[in-house]
Every structure is written in structure tokens, then in C-alpha cells.
Amino acid sequence: MTQQDCLILGGRAFTSRFILGSGKYSLDLIEAAVAKAGAQIITLALRRINQDGQDNILDYIPKGVTLLPNTSGARSAEESVRIARLAREIGCGDFVKIEVIRDTKYLLPDNGETLKATEILAKEGFIVLPYMYPDLNAARDMAQAGAAAIMPLGAPIGSNKGLSTKEFIQILIDEIDLPIIIDAGIGRPSQACEAMEMGAAGIMANTAIASAGDIPAMATAFRQAIEAGRTAYLAGLGPIQETGAAASSPLTGFLRD
Amino acid sequence: MTPKTDPMAYLPDMEIIPSTMLDEVLQARSAYHPEACTAAQVRQALQKTHLRPEDFSALLSPAAAPFLEQMAHESQRVTRRQFGNSIQVFTPLYLANHCENHCIYCGFNSHNPIQRARLDSGEIEAEMKAIAATGLREILLLTGESRAMSDLAYIGKACQIARRHFKVVGLEVYPMNVEGYAHLHECGADYVTVFQETYNPDRYGTLHLAGPKRVFPYRFYAQERAILGGMRGVGFAALLGLDDFRKDAFSAGLHAYLLQRKYPQAEVALSCPRLRPIINNDKINAKDVHEAQLLQCILAYRLFLPFANITISTREEARFRDNAIKLGASKISAGVSVGIGGHQAEAKGDEQFEIADTRSVQEIYAAILGQGLQPVMSDYVYV
């Protein structure tokens, strides 16, 4: 029997490689979306948690799903550390996705501050997944600082534009010995599939699902695409014939002996 | 009669910060001639992902009127992409209506014989408990502009009480120096909204006859001082109907745009109030700003600033508000009383203006859900 293909994060194994977001859509659709996505990890913003209040997002997340609270709202390493600790205190577990954003227009992550927060939180025993701009040097530093995975953006968040940063993500996949999970920008199942074919370890998607006409159906489509891309990656893609047929007179035909 | 003071001159104690934003906005306002915009400019603006100020001015112009339906579609798409189907819900609490300004269109103005009142700490607590019991987690605290009757310590105390009952505390009070904002931020407030009313300094001077509010530049720079004081976000508005509403809406949007460029971490928000009748003057109205023009402003704001919160006021009727949150607004007030108190006990002071949507929190909540949207009580953490 072949060994099961798992995504390992912080020593825990997940058979699903689809991390689902929980924002931007109706609370009563979360359960169906999780089920159709086959997701075992769901992200949620700590700021959306309304403890002891009406419509607490935590009440809508099915039991048994691992929570990945994010630190959205943080503008500095210090703020994201405080938010992460708060999340742990109220029972969201040890996983944390670091989001440090100092630009309210494009919501691009700040790699410098994210690195600082990664360092602090990893030391405190968190399983740290930094959301970052795909920069090899920053990713290496985050890995060194104790990150459990690296989450580069594919395109500006919410844009549904796909793999605008493809070349740089490929470099991270090739060079970093941690799971590379594409976060932000993935708008279509085909883009998720392509990222998985490239060797990404997982896909995090929210807007693509939330803005779909039929949310549970789109969650299904993403699950299938991610599985297909993963299978293709493991199978080993055939080479692409860049310039048509191979030359009939080989350039090295002159060699003797 | 004493000659009026120069509205462009600061009073002593008013902090002056180094900034050129006022000149930039006023220059752009002067250069903007709504009637000169063309349909071609509107079409071009509607094709862009990131709009420039000149695109925004075209969308606010009369030339954009025939494109209203297309703007609505585009704005709806942009809003859903940015906010998903979330609609934030909050309520204002008026703490006091004492005022030292003489603004001729406002019910709180110091010459208007209305019932004046101020809530004490016990009353604030009781009001907030009653509001929190409706499920709301965001509150906006308002006072009339009286530094004597609603001093910094009083507002700070109200913020501290609010922090115990709510996750988000916003302020709509008189402009103050950076230090004042820093104090209120420490007391738990994170958002400051200041309406400039009109961005035409001459018109401003004829509407704001006396009091500190008469000082146009001090009010203009309130948002920048609030950010320097550590606030997370700031709100802007022109009160539509006081002057050329297209030029005023353009100025308010540009003000927000320039501030976010200068302070990229700042959250910016816009409100879209129209003039309303007040006690002792039911003739006040928004003249040429009909619903179509108001909607045009909301849609233009949304397309120009996709990331900004846009609040839709209870000055508008339920029908208009329910549609506005589908098309561009991202935030709505509910269970509103614009008198002093009125949530837990009878209001003890008179209101600032007449509201048109008197629905309770539960009713607004149900109306949002009914549109397939998700009411969001909490989308914020104070750090």
C-alpha cells in the first residue's frame, strides 16, 4: 500500500491541501463550504470573532476543523503578536497566520514586520504561517525564524487574478524546504491546479469562493482542481516541447569515438 | 454688528501641523468644472481598475448621469469584491447637544432654542447597556461642539465606558489637537469622523457664523491630527446641499484619497449626508441633490476608493438605504436616536436633525439578511 500523501504543518498531518477562508460570505454557508471543500483547516480573522455575542463566526465552523486564526488588522509585528496571543487565549489553538498590513488600499503584506512577528511567535510555540510577498530572502529568513510554512501571495488579495507572481513562487518552491502554500489572488480552480502542478503544497482561497454564484459548488471545484494539480505534480509532468519537433540533424552529430 | 472673523485664520491653542493637503484639495476643487466633463471621460473612467482623481471628477459630473445604471453595476461588483457580502452595523449615541457654534443649518446651533442636555456617567452606562443588548458591537459617540460642556475628560470617560460594552468605538466630536486624539485613543477610541460640511471656504464662512467651527483649516486638518494621535481610521463627509454638491463630493473624496496616500496604514471612510430639516426650521432641504444625484455620489466614491467604508445615513429612507448597501455602501446605522439618550430612557435633549429611517437593530438586521447580505457586528480588534 502506498503511503498517504499528507501536508505536514507543525508536526500535524492533513490529507486536504485546501485551506478555506471564512470571510466575505454568509455565515450559514460556511459549514457547506467546508464540507464540499473537504477542508481540514479554515482561516478566520480574530477580529470577526464576537465572543458571547450574536453571530459569532466560531459557532459556524464545524467541529474537528483546525482553526487558523489570522492577525488581520495588525499594522506592525507588535500588533500581530498581540492578536496572535489573544487568539490562543480564547481557544483558537496554536496555529496562526501572520498578516501585517500597512497599506489599506492594496493590502500588501509587510515582509519585514512579518519576519519579526514570525520570530517572536515561533519562540512562543505557535505554529506560524507567515503571509508574505514572494521574496526569496525574506522566505529564507522566515524559515530560519521558525515558520511552519510559507504563504506567498499569488496576486493582490481579493483580485482573483491568479498567479501574477508565478516566477517568484516557483523559486520559493524550489529553494525553501518548507511547504509553500499559495495565499491570496487565486481566483479560479484552473489557477489553483496550476499552482499545485508547480509543486505548491497547498492553496488558501477565500474571495474566489465567496464571490462565486454558488459557494458550495465552487468549493467542490477548487477541491477537485487542487487534487488534480497535486496528482499531476506527483506523477511528474511531461516536458513541454518549446520549439516544435526535435531537430533532425543533431548538432552533436560530428562526435566520433 | 461685530465684523465676522476670517474663517481661514486659526485661533490661539489650535495646533498647526505641517501639511499641504488643504491647498491641494482647494486647488483641485477650483480647477474642477463639472459641466465641462464629457461622456468620453466617463466611459474611460468606467474602464479603469484604479481610478485617478480626474476619473472621479468625471463620474461625479452631469455627463455621468446617463451612465448611472452602468455605474451601479460596476460599483456593486467592486463592493462585493472588496467586502464580500459583509455589511457592518453600528449605532450612534449622542452624549450631549450643547454647542458653542452658530451653524445656520444645524439643530444644535447655539442660537436655536432647543432642550439642551448632557448624559452623565450613569446615564451613558445605562444607554450603552441597552444598545449592547440589541447585539451591536460598534458604537459612534457624538457630542455637540462645546469644549466647556463636553470637555476632553468627559469624552474620554465615555470612551472608557464604551470599551467595556463594545469592540469598536468611533467619535464624532469637535476637532482637537493631536494630544487630545492621542488621549481619546488611549481611552479606547480608534475612529474619528469629522464632516467638513462644505469645502468652499467662502460658503463655509457664510454658514458657520461663530464659534471655533468657523475656522475652516483647523477642521480640515482634524483627520490628519487624529492619525498622528494614533487613531486607526478617519471618516470624511461633505454635507450635500450646502454648496455645489459635485464639487463638495469631489473635495471630500479627494481629501480621503490624499490622506490615505500620505498615511497608507490609515483606514478611510466616507459618509454621504444630505441636508435635512431641523427643529424650528423645516424648510431646510438638500435642494438639487435628489436621490439620483446622491446615488451618483455614493457610486463615484465607491469606484474611486474601493477600499473605503461608505456609511449610509438614517437621513435617508429605508428603501434608499436598503438599495445603497447592495450597490456601494458597506456600513449602516441601526436603531438610531439623534436626541440625547433615547435608547434606554426617553431622550432628555432634542435632536440634531430629522431622521427618515427609524427601524430598530432587529429590523435592519433582518433587512440586510433579506438582501442576501451578511450583517457584521464585529470586524475589528483594538490593539
Side-chain angles (χ1 to χ4, degrees), chain A residues 24 26 47 49 55 73 104, chain B residues 81 85 167 232 264 266 365 378:
Chain A
K24 293 187 167 187
S26 297
R47 62 189 195 171
I49 296 177
D55 285 345
T104 57
Chain B
R81 189 189 67 206
N85 72 344
K167 289 183 70 176
R232 175 181 288 266
Y365 187 92
S378 155

Side-chain angles (χ1 to χ4, degrees), chain B residues 41-160:
Chain B
Q41 287 171 306
V42 176
R43 277 194 208 97
Q44 203 172 31
L46 283 170
Q47 278 168 9
K48 290 190 182 173
T49 312
H50 299 292
L51 275 69
R52 311 244 340 132
E54 54 271 26
D55 302 312
F56 176 48
S57 67
L59 295 181
L60 284 168
S61 74
F67 296 88
L68 196 63
E69 186 65 23
Q70 197 186 333
M71 282 172 69
H73 279 280
E74 195 58 17
S75 167
Q76 183 175 44
R77 194 183 61 76
V78 167
T79 308
R80 297 286 83 85
R81 189 189 67 206
Q82 184 77 25
F83 297 92
N85 72 344
S86 302
I87 301 291
Q88 293 179 32
V89 188
F90 75 104
T91 208
L93 173 62
Y94 282 74
L95 303 172
N97 62 2
H98 298 278
C99 194
E100 56 204 14
N101 296 318
H102 186 192
C103 315
I104 59 176
Y105 55 85
C106 178
F108 286 174
N109 90 68
S110 58
H111 292 241
N112 199 21
I114 58 166
Q115 178 70 41
R116 303 282 169 175
R118 177 180 108 150
L119 301 179
D120 63 29
S121 293
E123 290 166 330
I124 292 174
E125 181 95 43
E127 286 284 312
M128 288 182 181
K129 268 189 190 155
I131 293 167
T134 66
L136 291 175
R137 288 291 172 270
E138 171 165 356
I139 196 160
L140 174 66
L141 305 179
L142 297 96
T143 63
E145 297 202 1
S146 171
R147 285 153 182 81
M149 293 303 292
S150 316
D151 62 13
L152 198 57
Y154 172 76
I155 300 172
K157 178 77 188 157
C159 291
Q160 286 165 341

Side-chain angles (χ1 to χ4, degrees), chain A residues 47-69:
Chain A
R47 62 189 195 171
R48 278 293 296 277
I49 296 177
N50 187 14
Q51 254 191 319
D52 312 319
Q54 194 176 357
D55 285 345
N56 182 7
I57 196 166
L58 281 178
D59 299 336
Y60 290 82
I61 295 175
K63 299 282 167 269
V65 174
T66 297
L67 298 178
L68 176 56

Side-chain angles (χ1 to χ4, degrees), chain A residues 86-230:
Chain A
L86 260 172
R88 182 146 76 176
E89 270 169 34
I90 65 168
C92 290
D94 290 334
F95 279 82
V96 65
K97 179 185 146 195
I98 301 179
E99 276 187 48
V100 182
I101 286 163
R102 291 193 299 151
D103 179 284
T104 57
K105 187 172 186 178
Y106 298 102
L107 302 176
L108 292 174
D110 180 314
N111 282 356
E113 292 294 304
T114 302
L115 170 61
K116 282 189 224 164
T118 301
E119 202 156 18
I120 297 168
L121 292 169
K123 277 188 190 140
E124 293 182 11
F126 282 92
I127 299 160
V128 183
L129 288 80
Y131 168 55
M132 54 98 71
Y133 195 86
D135 173 86
L136 178 60
N137 296 304
R140 279 188 178 130
D141 291 343
M142 288 173 196
Q144 188 67 30
I150 301 291
M151 300 183 83
L153 59 86
I157 192 163
S159 68
N160 284 350
K161 284 191 175 167
L163 292 167
S164 304
T165 57
K166 187 175 173 184
E167 297 284 334
F168 306 98
I169 284 178
Q170 187 66 62
I171 292 171
L172 299 192
I173 290 170
D174 293 344
E175 301 303 324
I176 303 289
D177 295 329
L178 285 176
I180 304 296
I181 299 169
I182 316 307
D183 182 357
I186 300 291
R188 296 162 183 266
S190 56
Q191 295 159 351
C193 184
E194 183 184 7
M196 294 305 292
E197 287 172 359
M198 287 163 58
I203 301 291
M204 145 86 215
N206 187 15
T207 304
I209 318 294
S211 61
D214 181 333
I215 289 172
M218 188 56 80
T220 304
F222 263 82
R223 174 177 56 74
Q224 292 167 338
I226 290 165
E227 287 170 0
R230 179 66 183 173

Side-chain angles (χ1 to χ4, degrees), chain B residues 246-257:
Chain B
R246 299 180 199 277
K247 294 183 87 151
D248 271 344
F250 173 68
S251 309
L254 186 65
H255 192 181
Y257 170 83

